[in-house]
Amino acid sequence: MIAFIIFNLFFVVIGLSETDPPPAPVNSFAEFDISSGSLISYNSYLTYGFGQPMSLIQDLAEDGILYILLPPNSQSNCENILENNGIDLNNVEFLPFNHDTYWTKNFGPYFVLDGNNEIGIVDFHYDRPDRPNDNAIPFHLAEHWGYNYFDSDIVHNGGNLMFDGFVTASSSLLPYSENFGADVDQLMLDYYGTDSYLTVDDPWGNYHEHIDCWAKFLSSEKIIICQVPSTHPQYDEMESVAEFYENQLNSFNEQYQIFRVYTPNGEPYANSYILNDNVYVPTGFGQWDDEALEVFREALPEYTVRGYSDYSYIATDALNCRVMNIPDFEAVRIIHNPLNDFPAPMDEYIVNASFIDLSGNGISNESLNLYWKNQFMDDYEVLLLNQIEYSEEFSAIIPEQPGDTPVHYYLEGGNTLGRIDRLPIAGYFEFYAFGGPGFANGDINMDMVININDILLMVNHILNIYPISGYGLILADLNEDGTINVFDIIQLVNIIMG
């Protein structure tokens, strides 16, 4: 408790204190959202150089803008190093601010879109009080770039904080002990828009308890978690973490798709970094490197997945700790809950999505398209998304499938200036569809006939004699109120009577 009081007094002394939260509703950006580039460091007070292999720096500069924090008097030297390694300085933005270390992910900045559709930086008190210059970087960058600045007063660390781009975030349990007496969940909701804060014990038992050493959101629906052999001392703890996420719901109230990456010796593969359609994975740890890269390729089809080794990468500090994504505020954000596998044939598959133009220029309705294909098609078919009446959502319909098949699809959306973005950024969403005509609502036994047998099934379900299961539950809920009752029986009788 005494340490907590001293820690918070420290931040008051250096002049950074709590502000009002952003106007609600607040939406935090995820690492896998569309980004303009990557923030790294050069020659901080306590760490030398970039902290990353030059091969990674070269690729980051090719794949986006390279933002570099550096002391004001070291830009010329940094430019020489970059040019000597073939990096185009036109794709580099230098940020001349004194800072303490190269762990940019740990101290931020972290961006939000607030209820006024304005971009802001939400800051936390960096849980390293011996690094005051790092702690001040989000404030300096908010001033430098002209964004709203909010101080949450939470003691936290970016290496222990990941967002899904909507209303979910995840960490180890550390924030509760670092913020003794504070309502951490409420603060996360007020400042970051986190309605569901998923926290769990650090399975490695690391000194810093950072989640990015053992788990990572790959998208709003997917998460990758380390895996160890059953003989490993942390096997039970790691499986407990996997089980925890298997039993949680994502921002769309659906279960996560879990991927496991094998780390028998604590390899920091999960400490990877995503920049648009690229995945950068720390490697150089031996025989499991290739398998780790394949797991990321399986999880994110058609993304470019590459490995990078560096002598300084260790189990508790690797690639992701030293790079921070900067969102692209000219992008069109596409919000969509991907379709799941369907348990029976359907006449149609409805795809809904909404679009936010971060640039403020406005969405071009003519540019909102759904691309889909099945295993029988060579090319994608394009469908225009039409606005749903009295709604901000848009919709398109994938038709009945001619045979059992996986269906791939992706979405595009543009603004009035001609900017076009897609979701997912690379690859596709996938669901499995059974071929043939779908069953009509009310055909509970799925025999292609609606008759007295379907009424009996519904009566037996309501009386809890023979409950309906599976897809039959959907076909029986005729008024779509989530409950099967006498009102559904009345509608079913009316269908039969014509």
Side-chain angles (χ1 to χ4, degrees):
M1 183 64 178
I2 294 175
F4 171 78
I5 294 172
I6 294 174
F7 192 28
N8 282 277
L9 283 174
F10 169 82
F11 290 110
V12 173
V13 169
I14 65 172
L16 298 178
S17 57
E18 182 180 359
T19 67
D20 289 335
V26 183
N27 187 230
S28 291
F29 287 88
E31 182 181 298
F32 50 77
D33 280 330
I34 300 173
S35 296
S36 63
S38 307
L39 175 67
I40 63 172
S41 159
Y42 174 72
N43 273 13
S44 62
Y45 285 154
L46 303 177
T47 53
Y48 180 75
F50 297 100
Q52 302 281 18
M54 185 53 64
S55 58
L56 173 63
I57 296 170
Q58 291 167 329
D59 287 341
L60 293 177
E62 286 285 335
D63 299 335
I65 298 172
L66 187 62
Y67 300 92
I68 303 181
L69 280 174
L70 76 178
N73 61 356
S74 63
Q75 180 170 327
S76 177
N77 188 49
C78 184
E79 288 179 351
N80 290 335
I81 295 173
L82 298 176
E83 286 186 312
N84 289 339
N85 284 277
I87 293 175
D88 184 357
L89 295 185
N90 291 319
N91 213 31
V92 178
E93 181 176 332
F94 295 100
L95 300 168
F97 297 102
N98 290 320
H99 57 294
D100 301 303
T101 67
Y102 53 44
W103 290 297
T104 55
K105 180 60 177 287
N106 291 356
F107 54 79
Y110 286 82
F111 292 89
V112 300
L113 181 68
D114 69 25
N116 295 330
N117 284 327
E118 294 182 354
I119 303 299
I121 289 177
V122 173
D123 199 2
F124 48 74
H125 290 174
Y126 185 29
D127 64 359
R128 298 293 186 269
D130 57 337
R131 302 172 192 171
N133 295 290
D134 287 350
N135 185 62
I137 287 298
F139 175 78
H140 291 316
L141 292 182
E143 282 195 325
H144 178 74
W145 284 326
Y147 295 129
N148 298 326
Y149 175 81
F150 305 94
D151 189 331
S152 67
D153 214 30
I154 305 173
V155 178
H156 219 313
N157 189 305
N160 191 34
L161 183 59
M162 61 182 186
F163 297 100
D164 79 337
F166 296 105
V167 299
T168 302
S170 196
S171 304
S172 73
L173 295 174
L174 182 62
Y176 298 105
S177 59
E178 287 189 323
N179 295 274
F180 181 78
D183 190 342
V184 173
D185 290 347
Q186 187 64 49
L187 290 170
M188 290 294 296
L189 175 61
D190 292 343
Y191 286 87
Y192 294 98
T194 300
D195 185 55
S196 175
Y197 192 25
L198 309 180
T199 54
V200 63
D201 271 327
D202 180 348
W204 288 128
N206 288 333
Y207 68 95
H208 55 33
E209 300 183 47
H210 285 185
I211 194 171
D212 66 358
C213 291
W214 40 272
K216 184 179 188 69
F217 283 139
L218 302 177
S219 72
S220 58
E221 315 88 41
K222 301 175 182 178
I223 183 170
I224 193 165
I225 301 170
C226 289
Q227 185 175 39
V228 297
S230 59
T231 55
H232 194 284
Q234 268 72 46
Y235 174 78
D236 290 340
E237 289 84 351
M238 196 65 73
E239 292 309 297
S240 178
V241 165
E243 183 179 358
F244 171 80
Y245 285 104
E246 287 169 356
N247 290 308
Q248 303 304 311
L249 299 179
N250 63 27
S251 291
F252 297 112
N253 289 317
E254 297 182 357
Q255 289 185 310
Y256 285 102
Q257 187 175 358
I258 308 292
F259 295 85
R260 305 298 299 274
V261 59
Y262 193 56
T263 57
N265 302 301
E267 293 88 345
Y269 299 132
N271 199 252
S272 57
Y273 172 61
I274 300 173
L275 175 64
N276 298 325
D277 58 351
N278 299 280
V279 184
Y280 314 86
V281 183
T283 52
F285 304 102
Q287 67 183 99
W288 306 110
D289 286 357
D290 290 341
E291 181 179 312
L293 296 176
E294 286 305 312
V295 172
F296 281 95
R297 293 184 181 114
E298 176 191 356
L300 297 170
E302 298 186 12
Y303 278 64
T304 300
V305 179
R306 290 167 286 190
Y308 301 85
S309 61
D310 190 81
Y311 73 93
S312 65
Y313 288 168
I314 57 176
T316 56
D317 172 27
L319 194 155
N320 183 263
C321 301
R322 312 172 190 183
V323 60
M324 177 77 196
N325 72 301
I326 304 298
D328 187 340
F329 303 122
E330 300 299 316
V332 175
R333 294 195 81 191
I334 304 174
I335 301 170
H336 168 64
N337 182 14
L339 298 186
N340 298 318
D341 294 342
F342 285 81
M346 300 284 289
D347 291 328
E348 59 186 28
Y349 303 87
I350 301 174
V351 177
N352 294 331
S354 56
F355 300 83
I356 300 173
D357 176 33
L358 296 179
S359 73
N361 291 292
I363 293 296
S364 170
N365 289 7
E366 294 77 16
S367 70
L368 309 182
N369 291 313
L370 164 68
Y371 294 76
W372 76 275
K373 72 174 182 177
N374 59 35
Q375 66 180 358
F376 311 112
M377 302 163 60
D378 293 326
D379 301 312
Y380 282 92
E381 180 178 326
V382 186
L383 300 173
L384 180 67
L385 288 143
N386 295 301
Q387 189 161 11
I388 301 171
E389 191 174 9
Y390 308 118
S391 172
E392 295 183 357
E393 280 196 311
F394 292 75
S395 180
I397 295 175
I398 298 174
E400 166 193 323
Q401 297 301 297
D404 298 349
T405 178
V407 176
H408 294 173
Y409 72 97
Y410 63 92
L411 300 161
E412 277 190 355
N415 63 20
T416 55
L417 295 183
R419 163 104 184 214
I420 301 289
D421 289 301
R422 79 191 302 272
L423 185 75
I425 296 175
Y428 46 80
F429 297 115
E430 179 181 72
F431 66 90
Y432 195 85
F434 287 96
F439 299 108
N441 286 340
D443 185 11
I444 300 169
N445 59 4
M446 293 177 274
D447 63 353
M448 306 305 293
V449 179
I450 301 176
N451 54 28
I452 187 65
N453 293 325
D454 299 295
I455 294 178
L456 292 174
L457 285 173
M458 192 178 287
V459 170
N460 286 334
H461 176 85
I462 293 172
L463 297 177
N464 202 31
I465 297 173
Y466 296 111
I468 300 169
S469 62
Y471 190 57
L473 290 169
I474 298 174
L475 298 175
D477 186 14
L478 294 175
N479 61 3
E480 298 181 353
D481 65 352
T483 303
I484 300 171
N485 53 33
V486 67
F487 297 107
D488 297 295
I489 292 179
I490 293 171
Q491 284 195 229
L492 185 55
V493 171
N494 289 334
I495 291 172
I496 294 173
M497 297 297 293

